[in-house]
Amino acid sequence: MIARWTLSRIALVLLGPLSGLALAGCPASSGSTPDAASSASSDGAGVPSASAVAAEGSVTAATSAPVPAGSIVVSTEPVDAPGPVFTSDGPVDVLIQHGLVYDGSGGPPLRADVVIQGDEIAHVGPTSPELKAKLTVEAKGQAVTPGFIDTHAHGDPTSDNTNFVYQGVTSICLGQDGKSPSDDRIASWAKRNRKKKLRVNSLPFVGHGTARSRTKIGLAKDALSDAQLGKLQDFVAGELAAGAWGLTTGLEYRPGSLAETRELRAIAKPVATADGVIMSHLRSEDDDAIDAALDELLAQAEEGARVHVSHIKVVYGKGEARAEALLDKLEQARRKGYRVTADIYPYNASYTTISIVFPDWAKPPASYKRVKRERRDELLEFLRERVTRRGGPEATLFGTGALAGLTLAEVAQKKGKPFEEVLAFDIGPGGASAAYFVMDDALQSRLLLDPQVMVSTDGGYSSSHPRGYGAFATVIQEHVMKRKALPLQEAVRKMTGLPADTLRLSDAAFSATRRGRLEKGWAADVLVFDPAEIEARASYDKPRRFASGMRWVFVNGRAAIADGKLKSRFAGRILLKQKGADQAEKP
């Protein structure tokens, strides 16, 4: 069933399936990023996506359904922005003129100028020929968009973070996988970092694992008492009141993996009260277990919380049909009234610690020395079967320490022993991190097209996976320009308006300065670029190569990239969620 769409700003033409829209896969093992198609037009128009977007760029959560590839064509023809004509007695700070404005709503591009005054957008539309500006950016033939929002990032707000800027990311969400951005409270973290030099805006989340640690529950395996659950709820509620945008869980890691559904339901209640969002690294992303893992997340939605699947993927799964089944499951939940979204990174290899291939009984609080001594054969058998199922030792590429750049197969060959013995006795569950080539391109690419799936890096400045330096650029280069599976306005919506709506950054009741759209009075996080020039240069063997192609990147009205060159300007801010937005966001 095709979803109901509001049609006030975007023309939709229903067609039969389009030939040639199948998503050709990039070989997962190559790690290469294809060149942008030189024949693509500079405004990013092309073969439309499998997803259609609503008039204001949002799809009603309760009614949006997965749409078969090629069934809906979205108007990509630029339209003239309506008046009135903007003028000013004195010079404005920045005038971006003659660009094609993709405002973050998902609507067609507008022929319009953008005026920035201070840290806000003063006007989007026609301007007087006599208008003067301290800085004029000629954007003819260029896309002008809101700054991109990364819903799942890692690192520290005070890190260099130029990896984000080069991709056009101006805001990042920190505190992922159940771990808050620091061991202290959100209020202390924000106060400590507020006046430091920040490249990008940072949004904090409270971590479930941090809550367990701070309430002295830690690695407790037994079902928690009502008193313990109450302490968890109070801690989470306090962090949300201090400005956290929601809660994260890392249920594939300790201590999150120790939590039962009753505990997860309990901590969902304060999130629901605060209208926050629960971002979850699911308990399992394996093909035979992900449905049950999603049911566990949806149980939190039953408590009234908005829920979000972090880096949605299916390990071992194959084909678009599997993706459709997964998306249909989420759609059925929306039809029940649950509010469900997800993010994705456009790569077919995941990246995390090597502990992911070890059994739970070999991880803390268990003694690994005892496991090796008393359960040696069982451990070796488990590792051999799990790695084989995950594509074999050739599909594990180490990214840290002396093993960086080598596959598990190569390490085993050098050491002259079976790979499972290398894992068990030379490395151990805490000994390395690696990329795992365990995803199917057709499946993952179909997930990307869904209207309720946005883009994330799951990386940071110290990332050893190319996603931290190239996720957003890859979506534009590969899926917009090369495959023509997404029109540019839909890709921009996935990177701006959709995450802003999900986080409540676009809601004046929670954000002192609204973000995610190019509209008067909203934050001046603005990009100027030619989509045909965007290139993701990071690869698995060189994961820290900066993306290229951004002409201008403005963060809170100040140019972080000017005419293609990085500037030593730090205009990022710590952004706290504010009930009633009655606190000053600005430093």
Side-chain angles (χ1 to χ4, degrees):
M1 177 181 292
I2 294 177
R4 299 193 300 268
W5 314 95
T6 53
L7 303 176
S8 62
R9 289 191 56 192
I10 191 166
L12 302 180
V13 181
L14 299 181
L15 297 176
L18 298 177
S19 62
L21 195 61
L23 300 179
C26 291
S29 61
S30 69
S32 61
T33 306
D35 295 333
S38 59
S39 62
S41 61
S42 63
D43 64 356
V47 178
S49 70
S51 58
V53 291
E56 296 301 323
S58 59
V59 180
T60 303
T63 60
S64 64
V67 181
S71 63
I72 291 183
V73 174
V74 183
S75 171
T76 59
E77 288 299 315
V79 298
D80 292 328
V85 174
F86 180 89
T87 188
S88 175
D89 292 336
V92 297
D93 289 337
V94 181
L95 170 61
I96 304 172
Q97 61 183 8
H98 306 138
L100 291 174
V101 174
Y102 296 80
D103 64 6
S105 71
L110 304 174
R111 298 186 188 93
D113 298 339
V114 175
V115 177
I116 296 175
Q117 196 73 341
D119 57 1
E120 293 185 354
I121 296 169
H123 178 73
V124 178
T127 60
S128 168
E130 288 77 34
L131 181 65
K132 303 297 182 183
K134 298 174 185 176
L135 171 64
T136 298
V137 175
E138 176 53 56
K140 186 175 182 180
Q142 306 287 303
V144 182
T145 79
F148 299 154
I149 300 169
D150 185 351
T151 51
H152 190 110
H154 292 280
D156 189 284
T158 63
S159 296
D160 188 279
N161 288 331
T162 46
N163 59 304
F164 295 114
V165 175
Y166 276 112
Q167 296 183 73
V169 172
T170 57
S171 298
I172 60 176
C173 296
L174 298 175
Q176 301 295 341
D177 300 329
K179 183 175 175 58
S180 297
S182 70
D183 291 332
D184 58 353
R185 305 294 289 263
I186 294 293
S188 300
W189 173 85
K191 183 178 180 181
R192 184 171 68 251
N193 290 298
R194 187 181 297 276
K195 293 185 179 180
K196 293 184 179 180
K197 292 182 177 180
L198 310 179
R199 285 278 189 191
V200 296
N201 304 311
S202 296
L203 291 76
F205 279 70
V206 55
H208 164 233
T210 301
R212 263 182 162 247
S213 175
R214 292 299 299 263
T215 55
K216 310 299 184 184
I217 294 171
L219 295 174
K221 292 189 295 184
D222 297 332
L224 302 187
S225 66
D226 289 345
Q228 288 175 311
L229 293 178
K231 288 181 179 180
L232 280 179
Q233 290 175 320
D234 289 345
F235 182 88
V236 170
E239 296 296 83
L240 293 168
W245 295 83
L247 170 77
T248 70
T249 60
L251 302 183
E252 205 166 18
Y253 308 122
R254 300 291 175 132
S257 61
L258 303 172
E260 298 180 347
T261 300
R262 177 169 171 265
E263 178 180 340
L264 299 177
R265 281 182 175 273
I267 59 176
K269 293 178 180 179
V271 182
T273 299
D275 195 18
V277 58
I278 298 174
M279 292 188 168
S280 180
H281 179 130
L282 300 175
R283 194 174 295 273
S284 177
E285 297 167 328
D286 291 358
D287 189 34
D288 60 355
I290 190 171
D291 287 278
L294 286 172
D295 288 338
E296 187 174 51
L297 179 62
L298 295 175
Q300 292 182 294
E302 290 178 3
E303 301 296 332
R306 294 182 290 116
V307 297
H308 180 93
V309 184
S310 291
H311 42 64
I312 188 170
K313 67 175 75 74
V314 184
V315 177
Y316 319 132
K318 302 290 183 182
E320 290 186 36
R322 183 64 179 107
E324 295 283 357
L326 198 65
L327 295 172
D328 183 65
K329 183 181 184 71
L330 300 182
E331 172 56 24
Q332 293 305 315
R334 295 186 191 106
R335 292 185 186 280
K336 295 178 181 178
Y338 303 153
R339 295 166 294 174
V340 189
T341 52
D343 60 52
I344 194 170
Y345 52 79
Y347 295 87
N348 295 329
S350 61
Y351 187 90
T352 190
T353 65
I354 199 68
S355 66
I356 199 75
V357 303
F358 283 76
D360 283 345
W361 43 263
K363 302 174 188 177
S367 167
Y368 189 63
K369 288 183 178 180
R370 177 175 293 179
V371 168
K372 288 191 294 182
R373 184 176 63 251
E374 299 179 358
R375 304 179 70 173
R376 182 183 189 279
D377 291 344
E378 187 180 1
L379 175 64
L380 292 176
E381 182 181 2
F382 183 97
L383 292 172
R384 183 168 54 252
E385 292 182 356
R386 181 155 174 80
V387 171
T388 298
R389 189 181 179 198
R390 292 170 67 88
E394 298 82 6
T396 297
L397 177 67
F398 291 106
T400 56
L403 303 180
L406 297 175
T407 66
L408 176 57
E410 290 171 332
V411 175
Q413 184 179 27
K414 284 188 174 186
K415 291 182 175 291
K417 61 175 72 172
F419 70 81
E420 61 270 25
E421 292 186 11
V422 172
L423 285 173
F425 307 123
D426 296 349
I427 298 175
S433 292
Y436 309 88
F437 295 87
V438 291
M439 284 108 79
D440 175 63
D441 185 81
L443 190 159
Q444 293 300 122
S445 296
R446 177 62 188 94
L447 293 176
L448 170 65
L449 299 183
D450 186 76
Q452 295 297 322
V453 175
M454 56 208 75
V455 181
S456 69
T457 63
D458 192 13
Y461 187 70
S462 61
S463 180
S464 295
H465 187 297
R467 65 195 182 198
Y469 281 66
F472 285 78
T474 294
V475 169
I476 296 173
Q477 180 184 8
E478 176 71 11
H479 296 275
V480 174
M481 301 305 296
K482 183 180 180 182
R483 302 189 188 191
K484 295 179 171 57
L486 284 170
L488 184 58
Q489 68 250 39
E490 171 65 350
V492 169
R493 184 187 74 89
K494 287 175 171 290
M495 301 174 180
T496 60
L498 177 59
D501 291 345
T502 300
L503 296 165
R504 297 296 188 257
L505 264 176
S506 59
D507 191 334
F510 298 105
S511 182
T513 304
R514 301 166 79 185
R515 297 172 193 270
R517 304 275 200 283
L518 294 185
E519 294 189 23
K520 181 180 179 180
W522 290 47
D525 296 340
V526 185
L527 312 178
V528 180
F529 62 93
D530 181 342
E533 295 178 353
I534 297 297
E535 181 182 4
R537 300 173 61 249
S539 60
Y540 290 101
D541 57 340
K542 295 181 180 179
R544 296 179 187 172
R545 296 177 67 186
F546 294 120
S548 62
M550 283 291 160
R551 297 281 186 88
W552 291 83
V553 176
F554 292 91
V555 180
N556 294 308
R558 300 187 67 188
I561 290 180
D563 201 19
K565 297 180 180 178
L566 183 71
K567 310 299 288 186
S568 57
R569 293 180 181 142
F570 298 84
R573 294 174 183 159
I574 299 296
L575 305 182
L576 299 178
K577 188 176 181 183
Q578 301 158 9
K579 183 66 174 177
D582 56 354
Q583 304 175 31
E585 179 186 82
K586 303 173 185 178

